[in-house]
Amino acid sequence: MGTQQVSAPLRAPSSGIVHINIRLTDGYSIISNRLSQHRDLSLLAIGLGTHIQSLPAGKRIGIKVLAEIFPESEAAIAAGLRELEQHGFLRRTRERVRGGRVATRTESYNHPEAAARRADPTPVREPEPEAEPEREPEAEPVPEEPAPAPRLVPPPTAPKPPPPPLPGPCRPTEALYAAAADLLAGLRRTAPVFVLSEEDVRRLVPGVAAWLERGMRPDAVREALTDDPPVPLRHPAKLLRHRLIALLPPPLSVAAPVIPLQNCEDCDRAFRSPVAGVCRGCGDARAEGAEPFALSA
């Protein structure tokens, strides 16, 4: 085995930070000091930018995905992403993909200035002095369009709104709750990262019971709740609660009841009614005191 190489200054400074660096051969990323030592970015934005530049291409980095990984709120993460966009380290555009869907394309820049020069390599030439042209009649001033109103975004310190309530079954039963508890406790058999405590299972049981009551098969519920989790998954119960609320299927439509056929006690004709008796015609005849209508033999 090779010996790890430790790099330290020959003469440690009398104050300030001392770097004890071990040479890395894997699991590392190269981050530009333009980002890590930026004087106009907040520490939150620098941390987000460092995390994004360490991710492989194609990795999802939406606000909700990042909020599932880190303890900061969605509002704080959104503010940090806007800082990175304002200083050129991040660019997000909306593009139409297959199937008519609209997806967000995110580009991360480790050197915004160099990227801008590469996008427009034409050097800027100073205009040569020209003879003063003849003065043309002044055009009528065009009224300026009003600037769009700024979008109001709550500050990172603003309190988060309460989360939506967890759904529950309309007709709860012990058997339905027991099936939901078994499904939650067994998630780790097929998805090992979804390890839940007994308290987590107790809190999430009503949501799973609501899915089962709406006709969802247990294997379909299990696949919908555990599909494509973020890596690493730090809060499995929090992710399950979000998906139970956001992906709740609609209830099945109830078929109209079929009214059975009855035979009239007077005329023996068939008519639809939930109870046995006479048809409408014989009922009217009885009310008027007339003889009931009888079918000929």
mmCIF file of all heavy atoms in Angstrom, residues 65-106:
data_model
loop_
_atom_site.group_PDB
_atom_site.id
_atom_site.type_symbol
_atom_site.label_atom_id
_atom_site.label_comp_id
_atom_site.label_asym_id
_atom_site.label_seq_id
_atom_site.Cartn_x
_atom_site.Cartn_y
_atom_site.Cartn_z
ATOM 1 N N VAL A 65 -35.738 19.362 -4.809
ATOM 2 C CA VAL A 65 -34.740 18.292 -4.651
ATOM 3 C C VAL A 65 -33.675 18.720 -3.649
ATOM 4 O O VAL A 65 -33.275 17.949 -2.764
ATOM 5 C CB VAL A 65 -34.116 17.945 -6.017
ATOM 6 C CG1 VAL A 65 -32.980 16.942 -5.849
ATOM 7 C CG2 VAL A 65 -35.175 17.380 -6.952
ATOM 8 N N LEU A 66 -33.189 19.963 -3.754
ATOM 9 C CA LEU A 66 -32.169 20.442 -2.825
ATOM 10 C C LEU A 66 -32.732 20.566 -1.407
ATOM 11 O O LEU A 66 -32.021 20.310 -0.428
ATOM 12 C CB LEU A 66 -31.637 21.793 -3.296
ATOM 13 C CG LEU A 66 -30.835 21.773 -4.610
ATOM 14 C CD1 LEU A 66 -30.545 23.188 -5.080
ATOM 15 C CD2 LEU A 66 -29.540 20.989 -4.448
ATOM 16 N N ALA A 67 -34.009 20.955 -1.279
ATOM 17 C CA ALA A 67 -34.608 21.077 0.053
ATOM 18 C C ALA A 67 -34.757 19.711 0.720
ATOM 19 O O ALA A 67 -34.776 19.634 1.957
ATOM 20 C CB ALA A 67 -35.976 21.770 -0.042
ATOM 21 N N GLU A 68 -34.881 18.639 -0.079
ATOM 22 C CA GLU A 68 -34.943 17.303 0.504
ATOM 23 C C GLU A 68 -33.584 16.863 1.045
ATOM 24 O O GLU A 68 -33.500 16.012 1.930
ATOM 25 C CB GLU A 68 -35.424 16.292 -0.552
ATOM 26 C CG GLU A 68 -36.854 16.479 -1.010
ATOM 27 C CD GLU A 68 -37.854 16.085 0.054
ATOM 28 O OE1 GLU A 68 -37.419 15.416 1.011
ATOM 29 O OE2 GLU A 68 -39.026 16.441 -0.061
ATOM 30 N N ILE A 69 -32.497 17.441 0.520
ATOM 31 C CA ILE A 69 -31.141 17.025 0.908
ATOM 32 C C ILE A 69 -30.616 17.868 2.062
ATOM 33 O O ILE A 69 -30.035 17.329 3.024
ATOM 34 C CB ILE A 69 -30.194 17.128 -0.308
ATOM 35 C CG1 ILE A 69 -30.698 16.248 -1.460
ATOM 36 C CG2 ILE A 69 -28.770 16.741 0.078
ATOM 37 C CD1 ILE A 69 -29.899 16.418 -2.737
ATOM 38 N N PHE A 70 -30.833 19.190 2.026
ATOM 39 C CA PHE A 70 -30.231 20.102 2.990
ATOM 40 C C PHE A 70 -31.286 20.658 3.939
ATOM 41 O O PHE A 70 -32.478 20.678 3.618
ATOM 42 C CB PHE A 70 -29.515 21.249 2.264
ATOM 43 C CG PHE A 70 -28.395 20.797 1.376
ATOM 44 C CD1 PHE A 70 -28.549 20.775 -0.007
ATOM 45 C CD2 PHE A 70 -27.198 20.351 1.916
ATOM 46 C CE1 PHE A 70 -27.533 20.342 -0.834
ATOM 47 C CE2 PHE A 70 -26.169 19.924 1.098
ATOM 48 C CZ PHE A 70 -26.331 19.913 -0.272
ATOM 49 N N PRO A 71 -30.880 21.124 5.129
ATOM 50 C CA PRO A 71 -31.865 21.601 6.118
ATOM 51 C C PRO A 71 -32.438 22.968 5.802
ATOM 52 O O PRO A 71 -33.413 23.373 6.421
ATOM 53 C CB PRO A 71 -31.063 21.624 7.422
ATOM 54 C CG PRO A 71 -29.641 21.808 6.999
ATOM 55 C CD PRO A 71 -29.515 21.062 5.699
ATOM 56 N N GLU A 72 -31.867 23.726 4.837
ATOM 57 C CA GLU A 72 -32.390 25.056 4.536
ATOM 58 C C GLU A 72 -33.774 24.961 3.894
ATOM 59 O O GLU A 72 -34.104 23.968 3.247
ATOM 60 C CB GLU A 72 -31.436 25.821 3.606
ATOM 61 C CG GLU A 72 -30.202 26.391 4.274
ATOM 62 C CD GLU A 72 -29.166 25.330 4.592
ATOM 63 O OE1 GLU A 72 -29.290 24.211 4.047
ATOM 64 O OE2 GLU A 72 -28.255 25.585 5.381
ATOM 65 N N SER A 73 -34.574 26.025 4.051
ATOM 66 C CA SER A 73 -35.921 26.059 3.490
ATOM 67 C C SER A 73 -35.856 26.259 1.979
ATOM 68 O O SER A 73 -34.825 26.660 1.422
ATOM 69 C CB SER A 73 -36.739 27.175 4.136
ATOM 70 O OG SER A 73 -36.187 28.441 3.803
ATOM 71 N N GLU A 74 -37.002 26.000 1.307
ATOM 72 C CA GLU A 74 -37.079 26.206 -0.131
ATOM 73 C C GLU A 74 -36.875 27.680 -0.476
ATOM 74 O O GLU A 74 -36.260 28.013 -1.493
ATOM 75 C CB GLU A 74 -38.422 25.712 -0.668
ATOM 76 C CG GLU A 74 -38.605 24.202 -0.574
ATOM 77 C CD GLU A 74 -39.921 23.751 -1.182
ATOM 78 O OE1 GLU A 74 -40.594 24.594 -1.804
ATOM 79 O OE2 GLU A 74 -40.266 22.562 -1.071
ATOM 80 N N ALA A 75 -37.387 28.594 0.366
ATOM 81 C CA ALA A 75 -37.217 30.015 0.099
ATOM 82 C C ALA A 75 -35.739 30.414 0.175
ATOM 83 O O ALA A 75 -35.252 31.199 -0.647
ATOM 84 C CB ALA A 75 -38.043 30.837 1.090
ATOM 85 N N ALA A 76 -35.008 29.874 1.168
ATOM 86 C CA ALA A 76 -33.587 30.200 1.282
ATOM 87 C C ALA A 76 -32.792 29.642 0.099
ATOM 88 O O ALA A 76 -31.911 30.314 -0.447
ATOM 89 C CB ALA A 76 -33.032 29.646 2.605
ATOM 90 N N ILE A 77 -33.111 28.422 -0.315
ATOM 91 C CA ILE A 77 -32.401 27.822 -1.455
ATOM 92 C C ILE A 77 -32.706 28.599 -2.729
ATOM 93 O O ILE A 77 -31.818 28.849 -3.555
ATOM 94 C CB ILE A 77 -32.789 26.343 -1.594
ATOM 95 C CG1 ILE A 77 -32.216 25.542 -0.402
ATOM 96 C CG2 ILE A 77 -32.298 25.759 -2.901
ATOM 97 C CD1 ILE A 77 -32.624 24.098 -0.385
ATOM 98 N N ALA A 78 -33.967 29.021 -2.914
ATOM 99 C CA ALA A 78 -34.324 29.803 -4.100
ATOM 100 C C ALA A 78 -33.554 31.127 -4.126
ATOM 101 O O ALA A 78 -33.086 31.571 -5.181
ATOM 102 C CB ALA A 78 -35.828 30.049 -4.126
ATOM 103 N N ALA A 79 -33.408 31.777 -2.954
ATOM 104 C CA ALA A 79 -32.651 33.033 -2.898
ATOM 105 C C ALA A 79 -31.183 32.802 -3.250
ATOM 106 O O ALA A 79 -30.570 33.609 -3.961
ATOM 107 C CB ALA A 79 -32.787 33.650 -1.510
ATOM 108 N N GLY A 80 -30.600 31.687 -2.766
ATOM 109 C CA GLY A 80 -29.206 31.390 -3.099
ATOM 110 C C GLY A 80 -29.010 31.126 -4.583
ATOM 111 O O GLY A 80 -28.015 31.561 -5.183
ATOM 112 N N LEU A 81 -29.949 30.416 -5.211
ATOM 113 C CA LEU A 81 -29.845 30.166 -6.649
ATOM 114 C C LEU A 81 -29.947 31.466 -7.447
ATOM 115 O O LEU A 81 -29.267 31.640 -8.466
ATOM 116 C CB LEU A 81 -30.933 29.186 -7.087
ATOM 117 C CG LEU A 81 -30.827 27.762 -6.527
ATOM 118 C CD1 LEU A 81 -31.997 26.918 -6.995
ATOM 119 C CD2 LEU A 81 -29.512 27.117 -6.942
ATOM 120 N N ARG A 82 -30.801 32.386 -6.991
ATOM 121 C CA ARG A 82 -30.898 33.669 -7.698
ATOM 122 C C ARG A 82 -29.596 34.464 -7.599
ATOM 123 O O ARG A 82 -29.196 35.147 -8.546
ATOM 124 C CB ARG A 82 -32.067 34.485 -7.137
ATOM 125 C CG ARG A 82 -33.429 33.976 -7.567
ATOM 126 C CD ARG A 82 -34.516 35.004 -7.271
ATOM 127 N NE ARG A 82 -34.606 35.284 -5.845
ATOM 128 C CZ ARG A 82 -35.342 34.573 -5.000
ATOM 129 N NH1 ARG A 82 -36.031 33.538 -5.444
ATOM 130 N NH2 ARG A 82 -35.397 34.872 -3.720
ATOM 131 N N GLU A 83 -28.912 34.392 -6.445
ATOM 132 C CA GLU A 83 -27.608 35.055 -6.321
ATOM 133 C C GLU A 83 -26.620 34.496 -7.342
ATOM 134 O O GLU A 83 -25.885 35.246 -7.999
ATOM 135 C CB GLU A 83 -27.062 34.867 -4.905
ATOM 136 C CG GLU A 83 -27.752 35.693 -3.837
ATOM 137 C CD GLU A 83 -27.014 35.593 -2.508
ATOM 138 O OE1 GLU A 83 -25.816 35.919 -2.471
ATOM 139 O OE2 GLU A 83 -27.621 35.140 -1.519
ATOM 140 N N LEU A 84 -26.597 33.164 -7.470
ATOM 141 C CA LEU A 84 -25.666 32.548 -8.430
ATOM 142 C C LEU A 84 -26.001 32.972 -9.857
ATOM 143 O O LEU A 84 -25.102 33.193 -10.677
ATOM 144 C CB LEU A 84 -25.729 31.021 -8.296
ATOM 145 C CG LEU A 84 -25.232 30.445 -6.964
ATOM 146 C CD1 LEU A 84 -25.488 28.953 -6.907
ATOM 147 C CD2 LEU A 84 -23.741 30.722 -6.769
ATOM 148 N N GLU A 85 -27.296 33.121 -10.165
ATOM 149 C CA GLU A 85 -27.682 33.572 -11.501
ATOM 150 C C GLU A 85 -27.253 35.024 -11.738
ATOM 151 O O GLU A 85 -26.765 35.369 -12.819
ATOM 152 C CB GLU A 85 -29.196 33.441 -11.679
ATOM 153 C CG GLU A 85 -29.670 32.002 -11.880
ATOM 154 C CD GLU A 85 -31.154 31.925 -12.166
ATOM 155 O OE1 GLU A 85 -31.941 32.251 -11.258
ATOM 156 O OE2 GLU A 85 -31.526 31.539 -13.281
ATOM 157 N N GLN A 86 -27.433 35.873 -10.725
ATOM 158 C CA GLN A 86 -27.096 37.284 -10.887
ATOM 159 C C GLN A 86 -25.605 37.483 -11.154
ATOM 160 O O GLN A 86 -25.219 38.418 -11.856
ATOM 161 C CB GLN A 86 -27.514 38.066 -9.644
ATOM 162 C CG GLN A 86 -29.025 38.156 -9.458
ATOM 163 C CD GLN A 86 -29.408 38.749 -8.112
ATOM 164 O OE1 GLN A 86 -28.539 39.083 -7.309
ATOM 165 N NE2 GLN A 86 -30.703 38.854 -7.852
ATOM 166 N N HIS A 87 -24.749 36.633 -10.599
ATOM 167 C CA HIS A 87 -23.298 36.782 -10.763
ATOM 168 C C HIS A 87 -22.751 35.844 -11.829
ATOM 169 O O HIS A 87 -21.520 35.698 -11.951
ATOM 170 C CB HIS A 87 -22.588 36.529 -9.432
ATOM 171 C CG HIS A 87 -22.835 37.612 -8.416
ATOM 172 N ND1 HIS A 87 -23.948 37.612 -7.589
ATOM 173 C CD2 HIS A 87 -22.148 38.751 -8.121
ATOM 174 C CE1 HIS A 87 -23.903 38.678 -6.808
ATOM 175 N NE2 HIS A 87 -22.836 39.390 -7.110
ATOM 176 N N GLY A 88 -23.609 35.187 -12.610
ATOM 177 C CA GLY A 88 -23.168 34.430 -13.775
ATOM 178 C C GLY A 88 -22.725 33.014 -13.511
ATOM 179 O O GLY A 88 -22.279 32.332 -14.441
ATOM 180 N N PHE A 89 -22.819 32.513 -12.276
ATOM 181 C CA PHE A 89 -22.392 31.141 -12.000
ATOM 182 C C PHE A 89 -23.466 30.113 -12.359
ATOM 183 O O PHE A 89 -23.180 28.919 -12.397
ATOM 184 C CB PHE A 89 -22.025 30.986 -10.514
ATOM 185 C CG PHE A 89 -20.767 31.704 -10.131
ATOM 186 C CD1 PHE A 89 -20.808 32.962 -9.551
ATOM 187 C CD2 PHE A 89 -19.526 31.141 -10.375
ATOM 188 C CE1 PHE A 89 -19.665 33.638 -9.203
ATOM 189 C CE2 PHE A 89 -18.365 31.810 -10.031
ATOM 190 C CZ PHE A 89 -18.427 33.062 -9.447
ATOM 191 N N LEU A 90 -24.668 30.557 -12.619
ATOM 192 C CA LEU A 90 -25.775 29.639 -12.903
ATOM 193 C C LEU A 90 -26.674 30.279 -13.952
ATOM 194 O O LEU A 90 -26.889 31.492 -13.953
ATOM 195 C CB LEU A 90 -26.576 29.351 -11.626
ATOM 196 C CG LEU A 90 -27.422 28.074 -11.614
ATOM 197 C CD1 LEU A 90 -26.521 26.854 -11.641
ATOM 198 C CD2 LEU A 90 -28.307 28.037 -10.377
ATOM 199 N N ARG A 91 -27.208 29.449 -14.831
ATOM 200 C CA ARG A 91 -28.150 29.908 -15.858
ATOM 201 C C ARG A 91 -29.225 28.858 -16.024
ATOM 202 O O ARG A 91 -28.934 27.691 -16.254
ATOM 203 C CB ARG A 91 -27.428 30.137 -17.188
ATOM 204 C CG ARG A 91 -28.329 30.666 -18.303
ATOM 205 C CD ARG A 91 -27.499 31.073 -19.499
ATOM 206 N NE ARG A 91 -28.322 31.560 -20.591
ATOM 207 C CZ ARG A 91 -28.712 30.825 -21.640
ATOM 208 N NH1 ARG A 91 -28.314 29.556 -21.716
ATOM 209 N NH2 ARG A 91 -29.460 31.331 -22.586
ATOM 210 N N ARG A 92 -30.507 29.287 -15.838
ATOM 211 C CA ARG A 92 -31.639 28.360 -15.956
ATOM 212 C C ARG A 92 -32.568 28.848 -17.068
ATOM 213 O O ARG A 92 -32.973 30.008 -17.084
ATOM 214 C CB ARG A 92 -32.403 28.268 -14.635
ATOM 215 C CG ARG A 92 -31.600 27.617 -13.522
ATOM 216 C CD ARG A 92 -32.379 27.521 -12.231
ATOM 217 N NE ARG A 92 -32.584 28.829 -11.619
ATOM 218 C CZ ARG A 92 -33.207 29.026 -10.467
ATOM 219 N NH1 ARG A 92 -33.702 28.008 -9.804
ATOM 220 N NH2 ARG A 92 -33.347 30.252 -9.965
ATOM 221 N N THR A 93 -32.880 27.947 -18.004
ATOM 222 C CA THR A 93 -33.776 28.259 -19.111
ATOM 223 C C THR A 93 -34.833 27.178 -19.205
ATOM 224 O O THR A 93 -34.633 26.042 -18.758
ATOM 225 C CB THR A 93 -33.006 28.346 -20.437
ATOM 226 O OG1 THR A 93 -32.303 27.107 -20.666
ATOM 227 C CG2 THR A 93 -32.011 29.492 -20.412
ATOM 228 N N ARG A 94 -35.973 27.551 -19.800
ATOM 229 C CA ARG A 94 -37.081 26.620 -20.003
ATOM 230 C C ARG A 94 -37.077 26.187 -21.465
ATOM 231 O O ARG A 94 -37.066 27.016 -22.375
ATOM 232 C CB ARG A 94 -38.411 27.284 -19.659
ATOM 233 C CG ARG A 94 -38.477 27.828 -18.242
ATOM 234 C CD ARG A 94 -38.686 26.737 -17.226
ATOM 235 N NE ARG A 94 -40.055 26.269 -17.243
ATOM 236 C CZ ARG A 94 -40.497 25.261 -16.509
ATOM 237 N NH1 ARG A 94 -39.665 24.607 -15.730
ATOM 238 N NH2 ARG A 94 -41.752 24.895 -16.556
ATOM 239 N N GLU A 95 -37.078 24.861 -21.710
ATOM 240 C CA GLU A 95 -37.048 24.317 -23.061
ATOM 241 C C GLU A 95 -38.151 23.291 -23.217
ATOM 242 O O GLU A 95 -38.502 22.586 -22.261
ATOM 243 C CB GLU A 95 -35.684 23.671 -23.351
ATOM 244 C CG GLU A 95 -34.512 24.644 -23.322
ATOM 245 C CD GLU A 95 -33.215 23.957 -23.669
ATOM 246 O OE1 GLU A 95 -33.224 22.719 -23.815
ATOM 247 O OE2 GLU A 95 -32.190 24.648 -23.798
ATOM 248 N N ARG A 96 -38.672 23.208 -24.441
ATOM 249 C CA ARG A 96 -39.695 22.213 -24.739
ATOM 250 C C ARG A 96 -39.015 20.928 -25.220
ATOM 251 O O ARG A 96 -38.170 20.954 -26.105
ATOM 252 C CB ARG A 96 -40.655 22.738 -25.813
ATOM 253 C CG ARG A 96 -41.882 21.855 -26.025
ATOM 254 C CD ARG A 96 -42.880 22.557 -26.923
ATOM 255 N NE ARG A 96 -43.377 23.789 -26.331
ATOM 256 C CZ ARG A 96 -44.362 23.820 -25.445
ATOM 257 N NH1 ARG A 96 -44.946 22.700 -25.030
ATOM 258 N NH2 ARG A 96 -44.765 24.983 -24.950
ATOM 259 N N VAL A 97 -39.391 19.791 -24.599
ATOM 260 C CA VAL A 97 -38.788 18.505 -24.913
ATOM 261 C C VAL A 97 -39.836 17.620 -25.562
ATOM 262 O O VAL A 97 -40.939 18.040 -25.894
ATOM 263 C CB VAL A 97 -38.207 17.861 -23.633
ATOM 264 C CG1 VAL A 97 -37.083 18.704 -23.078
ATOM 265 C CG2 VAL A 97 -39.285 17.685 -22.581
ATOM 266 N N ARG A 98 -39.479 16.352 -25.719
ATOM 267 C CA ARG A 98 -40.394 15.419 -26.371
ATOM 268 C C ARG A 98 -41.700 15.301 -25.601
ATOM 269 O O ARG A 98 -41.723 15.387 -24.390
ATOM 270 C CB ARG A 98 -39.737 14.036 -26.474
ATOM 271 C CG ARG A 98 -38.527 14.005 -27.417
ATOM 272 C CD ARG A 98 -37.951 12.604 -27.473
ATOM 273 N NE ARG A 98 -36.788 12.533 -28.371
ATOM 274 C CZ ARG A 98 -36.078 11.430 -28.565
ATOM 275 N NH1 ARG A 98 -36.419 10.311 -27.949
ATOM 276 N NH2 ARG A 98 -35.055 11.446 -29.374
ATOM 277 N N GLY A 99 -42.776 15.064 -26.370
ATOM 278 C CA GLY A 99 -44.075 14.921 -25.733
ATOM 279 C C GLY A 99 -44.742 16.243 -25.418
ATOM 280 O O GLY A 99 -45.789 16.254 -24.785
ATOM 281 N N GLY A 100 -44.148 17.366 -25.855
ATOM 282 C CA GLY A 100 -44.754 18.667 -25.579
ATOM 283 C C GLY A 100 -44.514 19.179 -24.177
ATOM 284 O O GLY A 100 -45.041 20.227 -23.804
ATOM 285 N N ARG A 101 -43.721 18.472 -23.351
ATOM 286 C CA ARG A 101 -43.462 18.930 -21.998
ATOM 287 C C ARG A 101 -42.405 20.037 -22.010
ATOM 288 O O ARG A 101 -41.612 20.153 -22.930
ATOM 289 C CB ARG A 101 -42.997 17.772 -21.110
ATOM 290 C CG ARG A 101 -44.031 16.681 -20.950
ATOM 291 C CD ARG A 101 -43.553 15.594 -19.998
ATOM 292 N NE ARG A 101 -42.354 14.928 -20.468
ATOM 293 C CZ ARG A 101 -41.145 15.116 -19.979
ATOM 294 N NH1 ARG A 101 -40.953 15.966 -18.979
ATOM 295 N NH2 ARG A 101 -40.103 14.457 -20.460
ATOM 296 N N VAL A 102 -42.420 20.844 -20.937
ATOM 297 C CA VAL A 102 -41.445 21.920 -20.757
ATOM 298 C C VAL A 102 -40.540 21.544 -19.594
ATOM 299 O O VAL A 102 -41.020 21.256 -18.498
ATOM 300 C CB VAL A 102 -42.140 23.272 -20.496
ATOM 301 C CG1 VAL A 102 -41.107 24.355 -20.235
ATOM 302 C CG2 VAL A 102 -43.028 23.641 -21.677
ATOM 303 N N ALA A 103 -39.231 21.525 -19.841
ATOM 304 C CA ALA A 103 -38.257 21.149 -18.817
ATOM 305 C C ALA A 103 -37.302 22.315 -18.571
ATOM 306 O O ALA A 103 -37.129 23.195 -19.426
ATOM 307 C CB ALA A 103 -37.472 19.904 -19.229
ATOM 308 N N THR A 104 -36.687 22.319 -17.390
ATOM 309 C CA THR A 104 -35.721 23.358 -17.022
ATOM 310 C C THR A 104 -34.313 22.866 -17.313
ATOM 311 O O THR A 104 -33.905 21.797 -16.849
ATOM 312 C CB THR A 104 -35.858 23.718 -15.534
ATOM 313 O OG1 THR A 104 -37.184 24.182 -15.274
ATOM 314 C CG2 THR A 104 -34.858 24.791 -15.149
ATOM 315 N N ARG A 105 -33.563 23.630 -18.088
ATOM 316 C CA ARG A 105 -32.157 23.326 -18.377
ATOM 317 C C ARG A 105 -31.292 24.223 -17.500
ATOM 318 O O ARG A 105 -31.435 25.447 -17.520
ATOM 319 C CB ARG A 105 -31.854 23.559 -19.852
ATOM 320 C CG ARG A 105 -30.370 23.425 -20.218
ATOM 321 C CD ARG A 105 -30.148 23.786 -21.678
ATOM 322 N NE ARG A 105 -28.733 23.806 -21.998
ATOM 323 C CZ ARG A 105 -28.047 22.765 -22.414
ATOM 324 N NH1 ARG A 105 -28.669 21.596 -22.556
ATOM 325 N NH2 ARG A 105 -26.755 22.851 -22.703
ATOM 326 N N THR A 106 -30.403 23.610 -16.734
ATOM 327 C CA THR A 106 -29.553 24.347 -15.801
ATOM 328 C C THR A 106 -28.100 24.232 -16.259
ATOM 329 O O THR A 106 -27.614 23.129 -16.503
ATOM 330 C CB THR A 106 -29.707 23.794 -14.376
ATOM 331 O OG1 THR A 106 -31.080 23.840 -13.990
ATOM 332 C CG2 THR A 106 -28.888 24.627 -13.399
#
